[in-house]
Amino acid sequence: MGNLSKLRRKLQENNLDAILITSPVNRRYMTGFTGTAGIAVVSLYDARFITDFRYIEQANDQISEFKVVEHKELIHQEIKKQLKQMDVKRVGFEKEHVTFSTYEQYNKTFEAELVPVSGFIEELRLIKSENELGILKQAARIADDAFEHIQGYIKPGVKEVDISNELEFFMRKQGATSSSFDIIVASGYRAALPHGVASDKEIKSGELVTMDYGALFNGYCSDTTRTVAVGEINDELRDIYDTVLEAQIRGVDGLKPGITGKEADALTRDYIKERGYEGYFGHSTGHGLGMEVHEGPALSFRSDKEMEPGMVVTVEPGIYIPNVGGCRIEDDIVITEAGSERLTCAEKALIQL
């Protein structure tokens, strides 16, 4: 069943005649359109894409299952016209992606009843197609190659921001559009910051350096973390690394269809607690990955969502101790019928540079 058919089934289940797709990510997922302006309207029997003259040629080239419509007046006026032609009485709108002022404009203009909806397309995006998995594997490969490359660049005196820039430049040279988020490089005491975006701090011997980064490739994201040692590290840092590595391996090995997000989270969290680091692992074990770097499903103690074949998630436990340092190790994983498969395959044993 195609994406349009799946979405129409959701419309029927919710007694809706149509839905407006305004999220740029959801719009691209449903239409294939990579431009920056346009709204998709999907009804039970029709699908139309409304954009302005700048994108008409591009839309006609990229979109096959939607009728492309050029709006020459204000776009909400054109939507009103199209909804009337499609005989839409109740239309859903993505409430997380519509501002209140836009809602007010729609409400004042449209003759159809507006119904707020949530997660219709995000739920479809949970299960990746073979084509999507192929793109995600390429994004993961770029990240793996970047880790191999950066090892020759890290040394005492180099700034975190220089490492971040080098990762970005390398991934772009390998075909990435950009990094998939602001690259995290955190060394020494700053490695205790889970989201320590690269700073001007210089790398020193005896430190751990955590790098969390990913490649945005053909609209899809990779997200990996590796931690390396620069010179000799003390026993405390070594124990932190070994604990995180074992927790991460347990988390990856335990993923399979039917396991809940809560159970997956416990695979890493319970071991870290057992090793005496309770309270130093404050985030969830992982998250979904796809067109966005953070999407469903969550590997979290709050989630009862069961894993299904085709879902792609991260497994990224960490330990963060103020004034000491920290470590995180992360892989991208696809759930398979038989269990799971790693998409990121770079070395995880401690590398000393």
Side-chain angles (χ1 to χ4, degrees), residues 89-287:
K89 302 295 190 297
R90 280 171 52 85
V91 59
F93 67 93
E94 299 177 293
K95 65 180 184 180
E96 287 91 357
H97 306 290
V98 173
T99 65
F100 186 67
S101 62
T102 299
Y103 166 76
E104 286 185 313
Q105 187 68 65
Y106 287 170
N107 201 37
K108 183 171 65 175
T109 306
F110 298 169
E111 296 175 8
E113 177 187 357
L114 282 165
V115 180
V117 300
S118 178
F120 278 26
I121 299 170
E122 285 83 354
E123 286 184 26
L124 302 184
R125 287 167 45 200
L126 288 175
I127 308 298
K128 272 59 179 182
S129 67
E130 286 301 317
N131 180 62
E132 289 179 290
L133 289 175
I135 299 171
L136 285 163
K137 286 177 180 179
Q138 292 181 73
R141 190 176 303 116
I142 291 172
D144 282 345
D145 290 345
F147 179 62
E148 185 71 25
H149 169 76
I150 205 66
Q151 292 174 45
Y153 190 84
I154 300 171
K155 60 185 178 181
V158 174
K159 294 180 180 180
E160 292 174 350
V161 70
D162 293 332
I163 296 171
S164 172
N165 289 339
E166 185 66 20
L167 284 168
E168 174 90 25
F169 296 153
F170 179 86
M171 291 190 293
R172 285 176 180 260
K173 288 178 182 178
Q174 305 310 305
T177 304
S178 66
S179 55
S180 46
F181 54 93
D182 288 340
I183 294 173
I184 293 168
V185 180
S187 61
Y189 67 89
R190 290 193 75 251
L193 303 174
H195 279 186
V197 173
S199 73
D200 284 332
K201 178 189 174 300
E202 294 183 354
I203 306 299
K204 296 180 181 178
S205 184
E207 294 182 334
L208 289 176
V209 181
T210 296
M211 295 166 288
D212 187 347
Y213 63 96
L216 176 62
F217 178 78
N218 199 14
Y220 287 79
C221 303
S222 57
D223 181 7
T224 187
T225 307
R226 290 294 185 266
T227 300
V228 298
V230 178
E232 294 290 337
I233 58 172
N234 61 37
D235 291 343
E236 182 178 14
L237 292 178
R238 181 72 199 220
D239 190 64
I240 289 171
Y241 189 95
D242 289 345
T243 300
V244 171
L245 177 59
E246 178 61 25
Q248 204 267 348
I249 291 171
R250 292 186 181 202
V252 171
D253 289 348
L255 282 179
K256 59 185 179 181
I259 191 172
T260 66
K262 184 183 299 183
E263 291 167 338
D265 182 75
L267 293 172
T268 66
R269 193 170 306 281
D270 289 353
Y271 180 74
I272 288 174
K273 178 181 178 181
E274 176 187 320
R275 288 293 297 269
Y277 291 102
E278 183 178 11
Y280 295 110
F281 174 27
H283 56 76
S284 63
T285 289
H287 54 82

Side-chain angles (χ1 to χ4, degrees), residues 284-341:
S284 63
T285 289
H287 54 82
L289 185 68
M291 297 183 79
E292 294 179 286
V293 76
H294 289 97
E295 55 184 54
L299 305 189
S300 163
F301 69 88
R302 300 182 180 90
S303 176
D304 291 318
K305 180 74 174 178
E306 291 187 357
M307 300 298 107
E308 300 176 42
M311 289 180 172
V312 176
V313 296
T314 66
V315 177
E316 50 179 301
I319 294 173
Y320 316 94
I321 303 178
N323 302 315
V324 172
C327 168
R328 180 166 64 254
I329 301 171
E330 174 185 19
D331 281 315
D332 303 341
I333 311 293
V334 57
I335 307 299
T336 66
E337 295 287 350
S340 66
E341 175 189 343

